[in-house]
Amino acid sequence: TAVAAGYTHSLVLKGNGTFVSWGDNSYGQATVPSGLSNVVAIVAGWCHSLALINDETVVAWGHNFFHESSVPDGLSNVVAIAGDASHSAALKNDGTLGVWGDVASVPAGTEGVVAIAGSGQTTLALIEDGTLLPLWGELTAVPLGLSNVVAITGAGDGRNGFFEKVGVWC
């Protein structure tokens, strides 16, 4: 039901809430934690992986140098997840975010978020009014006049460092 590709590993979510992973496993990013089930969403970060469970909690594993796999205690009510090279993010059902890894904090005034996407070394948030907010990383501004955004996605390309690719649909 979903596919996620990291820098050197991939994940595929199956309809029964389990998934398969393969590729480079240098940091354990392709090793599915034992007993993990009831997964509703997956993310492959640079060298770490995330799973959103149907009880609205998050499981992370793999590379953890920046604490990107250290899910904060008590994180709950999660409806979406994103990850990039050095941090992870969770969108909660009240439109707020939980973040961990190489980030200082959620930017002030970040509320009304309806979608998040990670890419290389950037995480983006789509706000309910159709605006796009770069949260952390190398992409610090969006094109002038960009509005009425309805969906976002991202992908990092590590062949020549981190080359950002961001998809925006208006």
Side-chain angles (χ1 to χ4, degrees), residues 5-75:
Y7 177 55
T8 60
H9 74 291
S10 299
L11 310 170
V12 172
L13 178 61
K14 301 190 310 185
N16 65 0
T18 64
F19 62 95
V20 177
S21 64
W22 67 94
D24 180 31
N25 199 32
S26 299
Y27 301 100
Q29 70 269 32
T31 301
V32 177
S34 179
L36 187 58
S37 62
N38 300 313
V39 176
V40 296
I42 52 174
V43 168
W46 188 60
C47 287
H48 72 291
S49 300
L50 304 165
L52 176 59
I53 312 304
N54 69 354
D55 67 358
E56 298 182 337
T57 61
V58 178
V59 176
W61 63 98
H63 191 271
N64 201 35
F65 182 78
F66 301 102
H67 306 287
E68 66 271 35
S69 293
S70 298
V71 179
D73 290 338
L75 181 67

Side-chain angles (χ1 to χ4, degrees), residues 69-120:
S69 293
S70 298
V71 179
D73 290 338
L75 181 67
S76 62
N77 302 315
V78 176
V79 296
I81 51 178
D84 72 5
S86 61
H87 69 268
S88 301
L91 172 59
K92 296 165 48 170
N93 62 10
D94 64 359
T96 62
L97 300 173
V99 298
W100 60 99
D102 189 22
V103 293
S105 64
V106 177
T110 304
E111 54 190 39
V113 178
V114 295
I116 54 177
S119 172

Side-chain angles (χ1 to χ4, degrees), residues 125-161:
L126 176 59
I127 309 302
E128 61 193 351
D129 66 2
T131 59
L132 190 62
L133 178 64
L135 295 173
W136 312 277
E138 295 180 355
L139 180 64
T140 58
V142 296
L144 291 176
L146 182 63
S147 62
N148 301 317
V149 177
V150 296
I152 57 176
T153 188
D157 182 347
R159 291 176 294 177
N160 298 308

